[in-house]
Amino acid sequence: MKTKEMDKLIKHFDTYFEQEDSTVLHPIVDAGLHIDVLMYKPNEKYPFWKLVTMGASDYKMPSVPNTVGLYNEYIMFVDPETDLTDKDVLAWYYENLLAVATYAYFNKTHITFGHSFEWKPETPDEEMIAAFIEFPQIIGTTQILKCKLGLMKTVACLQVVLLNKEELERLLKIGPIAFSDYLYPEDDSSTAHFLTERHRSEKF
């Protein structure tokens, strides 16, 4: 990603998260698509961690109908009680976000709102086995959804929600639209269904 594009993307998220304290996390291994991650601390307006990819949009996805765009960056909202200042804790969320962010690139496919995919856990105690692609509805404006990086390049900023087996089964049973309503219920804005956790708590 070009420096000017990075600056525009950082400004975009600074604006809509209403904070300017992001830390840039660089990949240890470059697997062909260089993706950094911006980490924002919980703040008063949005009291949870925000992890944002920066570089996934270097891959132009195949054109399909009914999509948000051909370039994606990905956002993950994490429970504020999770200690992302701990490098080992952060590594798990970072690696899972990058796995989702590189999925379209490695599979030469298109990812957009409502899509989901699952994987085989690396260890028996790994609870999260799937990801759902959502709109970042908790942010107070839909303008966060698109960031114009250049004359011919507008990026879709989509949310990643990791799911366990039970939640994946719910998604497959009720479909993506109803599942989106479950993540962001209109009747209870305090429900934290949209937050990602490594081990599901009663908050979700």
Side-chain angles (χ1 to χ4, degrees):
M1 178 175 271
K2 298 176 182 177
T3 301
K4 287 185 178 180
E5 292 180 326
M6 291 181 182
D7 291 342
K8 288 180 180 179
L9 195 67
I10 293 171
K11 183 178 180 180
H12 178 80
F13 288 110
D14 284 356
T15 298
Y16 294 111
F17 292 159
E18 299 186 20
Q19 58 191 123
E20 299 178 356
D21 60 352
S22 65
T23 300
V24 181
L25 310 174
H26 300 285
I28 297 175
V29 178
D30 189 342
L33 186 66
H34 184 96
I35 302 178
D36 297 318
V37 172
L38 301 173
M39 181 172 71
Y40 290 84
K41 297 177 181 179
N43 64 353
E44 185 175 353
K45 183 67 177 287
Y46 300 112
F48 41 81
W49 295 94
K50 307 104 182 157
L51 298 177
V52 181
T53 62
M54 185 168 63
S57 60
D58 282 344
Y59 174 61
K60 184 178 181 180
M61 299 181 293
S63 181
V64 298
N66 303 318
T67 186
V68 183
L70 298 181
Y71 306 92
N72 287 347
E73 295 291 352
Y74 300 89
I75 307 166
M76 181 182 283
F77 299 134
V78 180
D79 185 345
E81 294 185 9
T82 301
D83 185 10
L84 293 191
T85 64
D86 185 315
K87 292 183 179 180
D88 292 333
V89 174
L90 172 61
W92 185 88
Y93 292 90
Y94 173 89
E95 290 167 5
N96 276 273
L97 179 57
L98 285 189
V100 173
T102 56
Y103 184 89
Y105 171 75
F106 285 122
N107 291 278
K108 299 299 180 277
T109 190
H110 191 106
I111 298 295
T112 192
F113 166 75
H115 286 181
S116 62
F117 41 95
E118 60 181 304
W119 53 82
K120 185 177 180 179
E122 294 184 1
T123 61
D125 63 340
E126 197 61 72
E127 184 178 345
M128 299 302 155
I129 61 166
F132 178 72
I133 307 301
E134 172 64 280
F135 293 137
Q137 298 184 51
I138 192 64
I139 305 303
T141 173
T142 58
Q143 291 181 345
I144 190 176
L145 185 59
K146 291 194 174 185
C147 176
K148 190 174 181 62
L149 296 184
L151 186 62
M152 302 296 291
K153 185 175 182 180
T154 297
V155 170
C157 304
L158 300 172
Q159 182 184 350
V160 174
V161 183
L162 301 185
L163 309 176
N164 61 24
K165 182 179 179 180
E166 180 181 351
E167 292 146 9
L168 177 61
E169 289 175 350
R170 178 196 287 258
L171 166 61
L172 296 177
K173 181 179 180 179
I174 67 177
I177 301 302
F179 193 76
S180 178
D181 292 338
Y182 163 72
L183 293 177
Y184 285 103
E186 292 184 4
D187 60 345
D188 186 4
S189 60
S190 65
T191 303
H193 288 176
F194 63 91
L195 293 178
T196 285
E197 300 174 306
R198 182 171 186 174
H199 301 291
R200 187 63 72 226
S201 70
E202 294 180 355
K203 297 178 183 179
F204 193 91

